[in-house]
Every structure is written in structure tokens, then in C-alpha cells.
Amino acid sequence: MAEIKPNAPSACTSKDGKAGFWNTVDPVSAANAARAVYGSQAVTAAAHCALTAHFDGRSGDYRFWCAVFHELGGGQSQFPGSVVAL
């Protein structure tokens, strides 16, 4: 069995030295997983994750979840009655 070494660099560590999930998973894979788990609510789940990361001060995680949100089509839909700008 491998020995666990204290203070070993983590594959999940971001540039600012904080652990970040976003360093190990790509947004496309996360979007596909979110669709499988949350179905039509996947965009909302990704937005919630992004906001939570933002308010927790986890900028790397925030960027990751924003990428997932956009991959899921977040921000692309229009409100009923709105005009699409061309």
C-alpha cells in the first residue's frame, strides 16, 4: 500500500494553492454528468455550484462551474416575450 505523505502536492491544487475540483475534470464531462443526475434542472444545479464557489472565495471552482453552466446552455435562453438581439 502506498504511503500517504504529508504536504505532498495535489493534482487538484490550483495556482493560488487551494484545492480545486475543476483541475481534474473537464467541463464537458461535468455537464454530461449533471444532465444525467439533474435532467432538466442541470443548468440550475451548475449555477448554484458556481454561486456557492464564488461566495466561498473559490475562484478556480467558480470558473469551472461557469464553464459547466455555459456548456449546459445557461445564459442562452430568452425570457418569454423577450426579443432576441441579432
Side-chain angles (χ1 to χ4, degrees):
M1 179 184 261
E3 179 182 336
I4 298 174
K5 297 178 183 176
N7 299 324
S10 170
C12 298
T13 303
S14 64
K15 291 178 187 175
D16 59 4
K18 295 181 181 177
F21 173 75
W22 67 277
N23 288 321
T24 60
V25 178
D26 69 287
V28 174
S29 296
N32 290 335
R35 281 186 197 100
V37 173
Y38 296 106
S40 65
Q41 297 299 313
V43 174
T44 303
H48 176 78
C49 291
L51 289 171
T52 299
H54 172 74
F55 290 114
D56 284 350
R58 296 179 284 122
S59 61
D61 291 344
Y62 170 73
R63 287 190 305 272
F64 171 81
W65 287 111
C66 283
V68 173
F69 175 79
H70 288 289
E71 182 66 32
L72 290 166
Q76 300 299 318
S77 61
Q78 297 291 319
F79 292 106
S82 64
V83 177
V84 177
L86 297 176

